[in-house]
Amino acid sequence: MSDASEVIVIGGGLVGAAVAYGLAREGASVTMLDEGDVALRASRGNFGLVWVQGKGDGMHEYASWTRRSKDLYRSFADVIRGGDGTDIELKQDGGLELCLGEEDFRANEDEIRRMHNQPGVGENDRVMLDRADVLKMLPLIGPEVTGASYSPHDGHVNPLYLLRGLHGGAQALGARYVSGAQVRKIEKDGEGFSVSTKVGAFRGGKVVIAAGLANKWLAEMVGLSIPVEPNRGHILITERMQPVIPMLLVNARQTADGTINFGNSHEDAGYSTRINPAKLAEIARSVIRSFPVLKDARIVRTWSALRVMSPDGFPIYRESESMPGAFSISCHSGVTLAAAHALELAPVILRGGFNERFAAFSPERFDAAPAA
Ligand SMILES: Cc1cc2nc3c(=O)[nH]c(=O)nc-3n(C[C@H](O)[C@H](O)[C@H](O)COP(=O)(O)OP(=O)(O)OC[C@H]3O[C@@H](n4cnc5c(N)ncnc54)[C@H](O)[C@@H]3O)c2cc1C
C-alpha cells in the first residue's frame, strides 16, 4: 500500500520532528502527520534555551537526560547543518539566573544544595556568584541584583531554525511530511496501525504520538493516559539595541541582531493564547529591576504560547502495553531535549526495550498510591 511506512509520527512540532529525524537517520521510512497552522504549537512560540541548571530537581534521571542532550547538542547542530544546510545558531557559553533580593538568592542556593544531594549528573557544576562577580559579567545590572546562579552548560539556539532544520533534515533523509493532516483516529490494523486523518488514512508498523497537548486525547486511543496540561508563557521582543546583556539569562537573551527577548512567565490560563497585558507589565518590571537601563527600550513584538506541562514538569515517555508499537512522547523542554530525542530516544523506538530504558518517565508515576 502506497501510504504505508515503518513509523508514523503524529505531530510536526519540535518533539515529533526530532523523533522523525532520528528515525529517518536510522534508515526507517517515516511519515510525519501534522495538523498545521490551526493547532496549538509551542514549538513556534518558545524562548530557544538549551537549559540545564535547575532541570531535574526531584528527579535525577531528568537531570542526567537534560545534561546528556546538552552534551550531544554540538554534534547534533553539525548533523542538522549537514542535513539541509540550516545553521541553528547554537551557543553554549553558559547561563545565569539573576537573583533579585536575598530571598531569591537563598532559594537558588537551596536548589543547588538539594540537587547536589541527588544521585546522577547534571548539576555538579552550577555555582552561586555574588553581586561583584555578576557585575564583572554584566556591568549594567541594577542595585537590586544580589547575585546569580551560573552553569557553564547552559546555551541557546534559534528555535525556528531548529524546527526548520529538523523538518528539512528528515525530508532530506526520505521522511514524508503531510501538513493539514489532523489525526482523528488511531486503530490497530493487523501487525501495525491505521491512522485516520482529515486528508485520508495512513498505515504504519509503529505509531509515535508526539502532538504536544493533543497527546492527552490521542494517546487514549492506544490505551495510554497522558496527563499533560497547558501552561501559558509570554515573550517580549525589544527593538535592536547596543549590547546590554552579553551573557545568556534564563529570562533574557540578546540575539545576534541586537533585539532582546524576555520571557519565562508561567500562567494557568486554560487553552487561551490571548495576551495578558498584566503579565507583560510584570515581566517588564522584573527586567527593569535587573537592568534599569532598559526602562526606555521599545517593545516591538509580544506573543504568548502554551507549554506542554506534566503534573511534575518532567517528560512522559511510554510504549503502550495494550497496543505494543504505539508510543507517546511529551515534554515541556522540547528545545533542550531535541538532541536526545533525535539521537538517543528515536533509535530505542526501533530497537525495542523502550519502557525499560525510559522507566523513570512512565506516566505510571502519577497513579495514586494504593491505600494502606
Ligand atoms: C513561552 C514558551 C517558552 C518556552 N521556552 C523553552 C525554552 O527556552 N527551551 C525549551 O527547551 N523549551 C521551551 N519551551 C517548551 C517547548 O517549546 C516545547 O517543549 C516544545 O515546543 C513542545 O513541542 P511538541 O512538539 O511536543 O508540541 P507542539 O510544539 O505544541 O507541537 C505539537 C504539534 O502537533 C500537531 N498536532 C496537534 N494535534 C494534532 C492532531 N490531532 N493530528 C496531527 N497533528 C497534531 C500540531 O500541529 C503541532 O505541530 C517553551 C514553551 C513556551 C510556550
Side-chain angles (χ1 to χ4, degrees), residues 10-17 33-37 39-51 55 181-184 210-215 217-218 231-235 264-265 303-308 329-337:
I10 303 174
L14 282 170
V15 174
L33 303 173
D34 192 59
E35 181 172 358
D37 283 342
L40 296 165
R41 299 201 281 191
S43 301
R44 288 162 201 252
N46 66 69
F47 202 55
L49 299 177
V50 177
W51 199 254
K55 295 278 182 70
Q182 186 198 40
V183 171
R184 292 170 169 169
L213 288 165
N215 272 35
W217 51 89
L218 288 172
N231 176 278
R232 187 167 68 183
H234 283 75
I235 290 179
N264 206 24
S265 67
W303 67 80
S304 79
L306 301 179
R307 292 185 183 83
V308 181
I329 314 289
S330 327
C331 73
H332 96 279
S333 284
V335 180
T336 305
L337 293 179

Side-chain angles (χ1 to χ4, degrees), residues 248-291:
L248 177 65
L249 306 181
V250 71
N251 61 344
R253 65 188 191 101
Q254 188 157 17
T255 60
D257 64 11
T259 64
I260 306 180
N261 302 0
F262 305 123
N264 206 24
S265 67
H266 293 253
E267 214 184 346
D268 179 1
Y271 286 87
S272 165
T273 53
R274 287 182 69 133
I275 296 287
N276 175 359
K279 190 51 79 175
L280 296 182
E282 191 185 299
I283 296 170
R285 270 195 299 273
S286 159
V287 166
I288 293 167
R289 286 173 69 197
S290 302
F291 295 96

Side-chain angles (χ1 to χ4, degrees), residues 313-332:
F314 304 132
I316 309 178
Y317 305 145
R318 193 67 173 165
E319 179 175 7
S320 170
E321 278 172 5
S322 57
M323 289 197 203
F327 301 79
S328 177
I329 314 289
S330 327
C331 73
H332 96 279

Side-chain angles (χ1 to χ4, degrees), residues 88-269:
I88 63 171
E89 298 180 352
L90 173 67
K91 294 209 168 45
Q92 291 184 299
D93 302 328
L96 292 167
E97 200 173 316
L98 292 187
C99 306
L100 288 167
E102 292 306 327
E103 203 180 313
D104 221 8
F105 192 90
R106 274 195 301 277
N108 276 33
E109 252 182 346
D110 287 348
E111 188 176 74
I112 291 179
R113 200 170 302 117
R114 268 197 314 277
M115 294 190 71
H116 269 294
N117 292 337
Q118 289 186 167
V121 296
E123 274 297 299
N124 300 332
D125 304 319
R126 184 182 175 198
V127 291
M128 291 306 293
L129 303 179
D130 63 20
R131 179 177 164 81
D133 289 329
V134 179
L135 265 172
K136 284 181 209 145
M137 295 172 164
L138 297 167
L140 296 175
I141 52 171
E144 288 186 72
V145 176
T146 45
S149 60
Y150 167 78
S151 164
H153 303 297
D154 295 324
H156 56 139
V157 293
N158 180 319
L160 292 178
Y161 289 169
L162 172 63
L163 188 61
R164 187 174 79 188
L166 291 171
H167 274 249
Q171 288 173 82
L173 290 165
R176 181 178 172 202
Y177 173 59
V178 188
S179 188
Q182 186 198 40
V183 171
R184 292 170 169 169
K185 205 189 272 181
I186 308 166
E187 291 171 299
K188 195 83 188 112
D189 181 4
E191 292 295 295
F193 294 87
S194 172
V195 178
S196 308
T197 78
K198 219 173 144 185
V199 295
F202 297 81
R203 284 206 71 246
K206 296 182 178 188
V207 63
V208 177
I209 305 169
L213 288 165
N215 272 35
K216 186 168 179 161
W217 51 89
L218 288 172
E220 276 179 7
M221 298 179 197
V222 301
L224 289 171
S225 169
I226 306 296
V228 285
E229 296 293 341
N231 176 278
R232 187 167 68 183
H234 283 75
I235 290 179
L236 291 78
I237 312 289
T238 70
E239 61 190 326
R240 292 178 188 193
M241 303 185 69
Q242 293 296 322
V244 175
I245 308 181
M247 282 290 296
L248 177 65
L249 306 181
V250 71
N251 61 344
R253 65 188 191 101
Q254 188 157 17
T255 60
D257 64 11
T259 64
I260 306 180
N261 302 0
F262 305 123
N264 206 24
S265 67
H266 293 253
E267 214 184 346
D268 179 1

